[in-house]
Amino acid sequence: MTLLMGAVAYDPKVVTIWNGFRSWLQNRGLSFDFVLYSHYERQVEDLAAGKIHAAWNSPLAWLRAQRLADANGRQLTPLVMRDTDRNLTSVIIVRADSPYEKVADLEGATVGVGAVDSPQATLIPCSFLREAGLVPGENLTVRRFDVGVGLHGDHIGGERDAARALLAGEIEAAAIIDMNHLLFGKEGTLPPGSTRVLAQTPAYDHCNLSVVDDAPQDEVRKLGQLLLSMSYTDPEVRPLFDLEGLTAWHEGRSSGYAMLDAAVREQAFYDAEGRVTAREYRP
């Protein structure tokens, strides 16, 4: 039986990555294929309905898939995740010459965030700011940069636009994932020394390869074993790993999503049955 996985085409490289992984897996005896989706919501619905066996899910997609599965008496398992999906943080950055010294100083300021559905640049940072006493619409203005809506923040254009707006003086602070703070420095979006980190969230996990309970178990087991056996020293694997942003696969875990889950409930993004309840979200 062919194990069928869903992946969201947030970038053309997704085709290259999963074509390469498919060939590698098939050459080792696993019948594996993938289908592409234009956004996560359709992929999640198909996964929870059993139309696909597995999905490469964003953290937000994982939480919705769990809700949908639970509502239908099904179960999902996070099979594997990248080494780079573990223990990530988001940061609130300000211009280097700004007067702000702590999060509370942002009262009355405007903070730029990513797309409405970005876990790392919108949902988690807004929850983090709210916990610090800064409530959007009350004593804080949040300016969203909605780029690639439906891609759950995988398209980082919104974060990049927020960073540019910060440098231009249009906003007083910006929320981005820590790794993009480094990336934007390397690519020149944020010149060295132009910004500083005002605050950092606790750690959380990002994507995982989610598997539905009625997927063919022998194939699922073999997929997990093969992915975990992949080595960065393998010349066939290394370019794919570089494109996908990892150096090793690790066993999946569900323990790193509590902060995002709290943000989803707090901001009424999905309801308990997995319905989309965010009023401004149209993937």
Side-chain angles (χ1 to χ4, degrees):
M1 184 173 185
T2 298
L3 186 69
L4 185 62
M5 190 203 79
V8 171
Y10 68 89
D11 187 279
K13 70 179 181 179
V14 172
V15 178
T16 302
I17 292 166
W18 286 105
N19 268 335
F21 285 159
R22 178 179 61 180
S23 295
W24 191 93
L25 292 166
Q26 288 178 340
N27 288 339
R28 284 153 183 82
L30 178 65
S31 182
F32 173 87
D33 205 353
F34 67 95
V35 292
L36 295 177
Y37 290 84
S38 60
H39 60 78
Y40 276 107
E41 307 311 329
R42 179 71 56 81
Q43 174 176 287
V44 164
E45 290 162 5
D46 281 1
L47 177 65
K51 295 180 180 179
I52 54 177
H53 302 125
W56 183 243
N57 273 334
S58 76
L60 188 60
W62 161 252
L63 292 180
R64 186 185 181 210
Q66 279 190 306
R67 285 163 163 77
L68 287 171
D70 288 346
N72 290 282
R74 313 187 72 171
Q75 291 186 332
L76 293 177
T77 301
L79 184 67
V80 296
M81 60 203 316
R82 300 169 299 186
D83 54 343
T84 48
D85 283 314
R86 294 172 173 241
N87 302 318
L88 306 179
T89 64
S90 295
V91 291
I92 308 297
I93 59 172
V94 295
R95 292 184 297 278
D97 60 356
S98 79
Y100 306 108
E101 297 295 336
K102 55 185 183 300
V103 174
D105 294 340
L106 291 174
E107 184 171 358
T110 298
V111 177
V113 300
V116 62
D117 57 335
S118 173
Q120 66 265 14
T122 303
L123 292 166
I124 287 175
C126 284
S127 181
F128 176 76
L129 290 169
R130 186 182 292 270
E131 189 174 344
L134 300 175
V135 181
E138 294 184 13
N139 59 354
L140 184 76
T141 299
V142 169
R143 179 179 170 188
R144 273 202 335 259
F145 291 85
D146 280 326
V147 178
V149 174
L151 303 179
H152 291 188
D154 286 353
H155 189 300
I156 64 172
E159 292 180 62
R160 188 175 281 111
D161 286 352
R164 288 171 174 154
L166 175 65
L167 281 191
E170 299 172 12
I171 56 178
E172 284 70 54
I176 59 177
I177 197 168
D178 189 30
M179 66 175 65
N180 282 341
H181 192 214
L182 298 175
L183 171 65
F184 296 163
K186 290 179 181 178
E187 70 183 21
T189 298
L190 294 174
S194 63
T195 62
R196 55 185 170 85
V197 174
L198 184 69
Q200 189 169 29
T201 70
Y204 55 84
D205 286 351
H206 211 261
C207 300
N208 73 62
L209 199 163
S210 315
V211 179
V212 72
D213 54 4
D214 64 353
Q217 293 306 300
D218 288 345
E219 284 77 6
V220 167
R221 188 160 40 251
K222 189 165 187 176
L223 174 63
Q225 291 170 347
L226 285 173
L227 290 177
L228 292 171
S229 75
M230 280 184 167
S231 172
Y232 192 64
T233 61
D234 182 339
E236 185 181 353
V237 166
R238 185 165 187 161
L240 301 174
F241 271 21
D242 287 341
L243 284 174
E244 183 60 12
L246 75 156
T247 59
W249 293 105
H250 288 290
E251 290 186 4
R253 66 185 186 186
S254 58
S255 57
Y257 300 102
M259 186 160 42
L260 178 59
D261 187 53
V264 166
R265 285 186 279 106
E266 176 187 282
Q267 297 168 53
F269 201 89
Y270 300 130
D271 69 11
E273 285 73 43
R275 289 182 288 264
V276 177
T277 47
R279 288 178 296 177
E280 297 179 303
Y281 179 43
R282 295 293 181 273

